[in-house]
Amino acid sequence: MSQVLQLPASEMEKHEIGIVHLGLGAFHRAHQAVYLERYRQRSGDGEWGVCSANLRSSVGLVDGLSAAGHRYHVAEYADSERITLREIGVIEETLFSGRDGAGNWSRDREALLARMASADTRIVTLTVTEKGYFLNPASGELIADDPMIIGDITSPQQPRTAPGLLVEALARRREAGIAPFTVLSCDNMPDNGKRTRQAVVQLAEHRDAELASWIATEVAFPSSMVDRIVPAMTDTDYERLAVLGVTDPNAVVCEAFTQWVVEDNFPQGRPSWEAEGVEMVADVAPFETMKLRMLNGSHSLLAYLGALAGIDTVFEGVNHVELRTLLRRYMLEEAAPTLDMPTGIDLESYADSLLARFANDSLRHRLQQIAMDGSQKLPQRWLTGTLERANAGQTSPCVALGMAAWIRYTAGEDLLGNSYSVDDPLAARFASLHQAHGSDSTALVAAFLAIDDVVSSALAKDTAFTQAVLAAYQKLTQDGLREALAAL
Ligand code: NAI
Ligand code: CS2
């Protein structure tokens, strides 16, 4: 019999919107909103309600939450027997500023900009995925020739991207003499605060040098490390919630574990959310790098190798003995040695805790979801650390095998011949490389390692690495997963 702890949302008489969030996806609903709901319940402070907006998918969620009075449920599974079921009420408004069915971008954009420009809004948070910043993943520079960014340069008052909305809202505040909001990225990127600043300042430079320099000096962009596994919902998840008496199309399920480490730089104030476990620190970088290389790096390794072998979920992948062994080896031998952690952090225990989290039997975290957007993820998860190791004369065979699996994965067909779609901003480029080089593995691997948006030129020149990727690719494609793993 499951133990279910039910926690209703707070009922506040007076509440205001102090935070605007861009990227109303699963993660925001199960992470930031939960911290804010807990904060509101404990403190009785109603100032930090959230207006949450989508700039891309999905309008259905925006409207669904609105129809539900902005109440929804988060089911936190410690395991299949211990569940905390929270009702969340801290999201007060939902908006959609993306393209409507007729292809127009008009819907709630003005309402969103007005909300961002309002003096009541003191923080703007983001979970727009790595690609939503329009930064070159390897160099961190704004992709100024992206059609969406070109649109925001030519029509800055009708922005379509997250950086464009931030620039326009900040310009309106500056014009009105209102202090800027703090911008808090909650995406899985290294130095996510600095990267967000880079995107916003570089975009503003195309518009007005003075505005750009005002943003660079006046706006705070603290970095943060976020962690909670929140898979996309499946039919099974909705069915399990129905058994618990919850019929809620806007619900999300996640693990019980949650972590948020935030750089304490909020000139316009912030919720005092420390009591909810938010760790306020001077420097997030060591935690962010640890999480990206150990957790996310293992996730990506499992995603490409597992998906090629027809494995569906993280749970199934981590129960595959050889894959589990590979993950532990990758974490301890290739990721951990690149980390410089404050004293007291035990990376071996961290690795074991991650494997235990991956083995949570109540989450259906699909490997195909993690495999998405590899071009945006692999530099920070694998390749920066691999270059550091290469510079110190060390090899990284697990990453080399991972790169081989990623290249093979982008062909859109697993080792058993099942096809799937490759979801990545560079998908068309990948397809043309596979088409051009067909079964010539040497040319194909060389072409992928020459994609300098993903692989830095320094790593691409490291012959020990490129040869290891090629050997792993040939083993994987000719002999299969078990043999490729055994060859390590
Ligand atoms: P999701 O698929 O539920 O939502 C994605 C969100 O990103 C949507 O709001 C979508 O509209 C927005 N988006 C996508 N591309 C965009 C673009 N080009 N411009 C503007 N908005 C865009 O995904 P989920 O689970 O909410 O994850 C979102 C991000 O949160 C991840 O990419 C990651 O950086 C971060 N995160 C997610 C975790 C998870 O386990 N789901 C855990 C830790 C961080
Ligand atoms: C995953 C992450 O989708 C992915 O690429 O690696 O979203 C992962 O679930 C989270 O970072 C966990 O905090």
Side-chain angles (χ1 to χ4, degrees):
M1 197 53 196
S2 310
Q3 291 173 9
V4 184
L5 175 64
Q6 301 233 18
L7 300 170
S10 56
E11 301 293 341
M12 306 277 304
E13 267 181 34
K14 191 169 170 297
H15 41 92
E16 289 157 18
I17 291 178
I19 299 177
V20 171
H21 180 75
L22 306 181
L24 169 55
F27 183 63
H28 168 65
R29 279 175 287 158
H31 189 261
Q32 182 186 339
V34 171
Y35 280 102
L36 289 171
E37 179 67 38
R38 282 168 39 188
Y39 167 74
R40 180 178 273 195
Q41 298 206 4
R42 183 187 51 80
S43 67
D45 176 355
E47 279 183 31
W48 298 101
V50 184
C51 162
S52 197
N54 266 335
L55 334 180
R56 264 171 63 135
S57 59
S58 98
V59 69
L61 182 57
V62 166
D63 293 344
L65 273 168
S66 184
H70 301 110
R71 296 283 170 115
Y72 67 95
H73 295 83
V74 176
E76 303 172 342
Y77 285 84
D79 52 44
S80 52
E81 301 301 314
R82 291 171 302 149
I83 307 157
T84 301
L85 192 56
R86 293 178 192 276
E87 191 192 15
I88 305 293
V90 79
I91 297 180
E92 315 256 3
E93 179 180 49
T94 49
L95 297 173
F96 185 69
S97 97
R99 201 193 293 263
D100 66 17
N104 302 316
W105 287 82
S106 53
R107 202 179 105 178
D108 298 334
R109 181 165 50 208
E110 268 310 311
L112 175 59
L113 282 167
R115 186 58 84 185
M116 293 170 80
S118 155
D120 292 339
T121 297
R122 289 186 275 157
I123 304 174
V124 174
T125 54
L126 299 98
T127 51
V128 290
T129 79
E130 298 87 342
K131 63 186 172 297
Y133 296 81
F134 296 89
L135 292 170
N136 179 302
S139 70
E141 296 292 312
L142 182 73
I143 309 172
D145 60 356
D146 184 285
M148 294 282 286
I149 291 294
I150 292 174
D152 282 3
I153 291 171
T154 49
S155 307
Q157 274 133 10
Q158 288 88 41
R160 300 173 184 184
T161 69
L165 281 159
L166 289 165
V167 171
E168 173 61 11
L170 286 165
R172 291 187 188 190
R173 289 175 85 106
R174 179 170 174 252
E175 188 71 31
I178 299 171
F181 43 67
T182 298
V183 182
L184 179 65
S185 166
C186 300
D187 274 297
N188 281 329
M189 290 189 305
D191 293 323
N192 53 11
K194 287 198 189 90
R195 289 214 176 199
T196 310
R197 172 194 266 124
Q198 178 89 343
V200 174
V201 171
Q202 287 194 345
L203 181 58
E205 277 163 1
H206 286 274
R207 171 175 177 169
D208 173 352
E210 276 182 26
L211 173 65
S213 105
W214 180 80
I215 293 174
T217 51
E218 298 299 321
V219 183
F221 291 85
S223 287
S224 76
M225 179 269 243
V226 291
D227 191 7
R228 171 168 255 189
I229 295 173
V230 189
M233 290 292 283
T234 63
D235 290 344
T236 313
D237 294 316
Y238 289 114
E239 283 157 20
R240 282 193 307 173
L241 286 177
V243 172
L244 302 178
V246 175
T247 315
D248 178 355
N250 308 310
V252 270
V253 301
C254 59
E255 62 176 339
F257 178 90
T258 185
Q259 189 176 15
W260 199 5
V261 189
V262 183
E263 234 163 60
D264 203 357
N265 181 16
F266 290 79
Q268 306 309 319
R270 60 167 174 83
S272 48
W273 44 30
E274 292 89 332
E276 274 55 64
V278 180
E279 298 162 63
M280 302 305 301
V281 300
D283 182 13
V284 166
F287 299 95
E288 182 73 42
T289 312
M290 174 185 80
K291 192 237 164 182
L292 284 168
R293 294 186 188 174
M294 301 272 286
L295 188 160
N296 299 112
S298 312
H299 254 177
S300 293
L301 203 50
L302 194 54
Y304 298 116
L305 286 162
L308 283 180
I311 298 172
D312 194 28
T313 64
V314 172
F315 172 71
E316 289 159 36
V318 84
N319 280 307
H320 182 293
V321 177
E322 287 95 339
L323 282 175
R324 188 187 174 90
T325 305
L326 173 78
L327 295 191
R328 199 161 189 282
R329 173 171 168 190
Y330 159 74
M331 285 195 266
L332 296 181
E333 294 181 14
E334 295 183 23
T338 67
L339 301 172
D340 184 12
M341 299 305 298
T343 44
I345 305 281
D346 175 352
L347 292 173
E348 189 163 351
S349 313
Y350 184 62
D352 288 331
S353 72
L354 294 178
L355 291 172
R357 287 169 60 195
F358 296 166
N360 186 330
D361 63 355
S362 25
L363 300 180
R364 287 191 48 76
H365 198 185
R366 302 202 56 236
L367 296 182
Q368 289 286 3
Q369 181 184 358
I370 299 168
M372 197 173 83
D373 290 345
S375 68
Q376 312 289 303
K377 295 174 174 175
L378 298 188
Q380 58 268 25
R381 293 181 180 204
W382 294 345
L383 301 177
T384 313
T386 298
L387 178 61
E388 288 163 17
R389 287 175 61 77
N391 288 340
Q394 294 154 339
T395 59
S396 304
C398 302
V399 168
L401 176 59
M403 284 300 283
W406 170 67
I407 295 170
R408 178 60 182 77
Y409 174 88
T410 59
E413 189 186 87
D414 68 19
L415 295 171
L416 313 169
N418 305 306
S419 48
Y420 46 81
S421 67
V422 176
D423 198 342
D424 193 293
L426 302 189
R429 197 153 151 201
F430 300 156
S432 68
L433 292 182
H434 282 286
Q435 203 168 15
H437 300 295
S439 54
D440 180 350
S441 55
T442 307
L444 182 73
V445 168
F448 267 82
L449 296 180
I451 303 177
D452 59 5
D453 298 16
V454 181
V455 185
S456 67
S457 58
L459 188 59
K461 282 192 206 116
D462 186 84
T463 46
F465 179 69
T466 56
Q467 281 168 7
V469 177
L470 177 61
Y473 183 87
Q474 288 169 338
K475 194 83 194 154
L476 187 64
T477 50
Q478 286 159 20
D479 301 334
L481 176 66
R482 272 185 203 278
E483 288 71 13
L485 288 169
L488 279 183

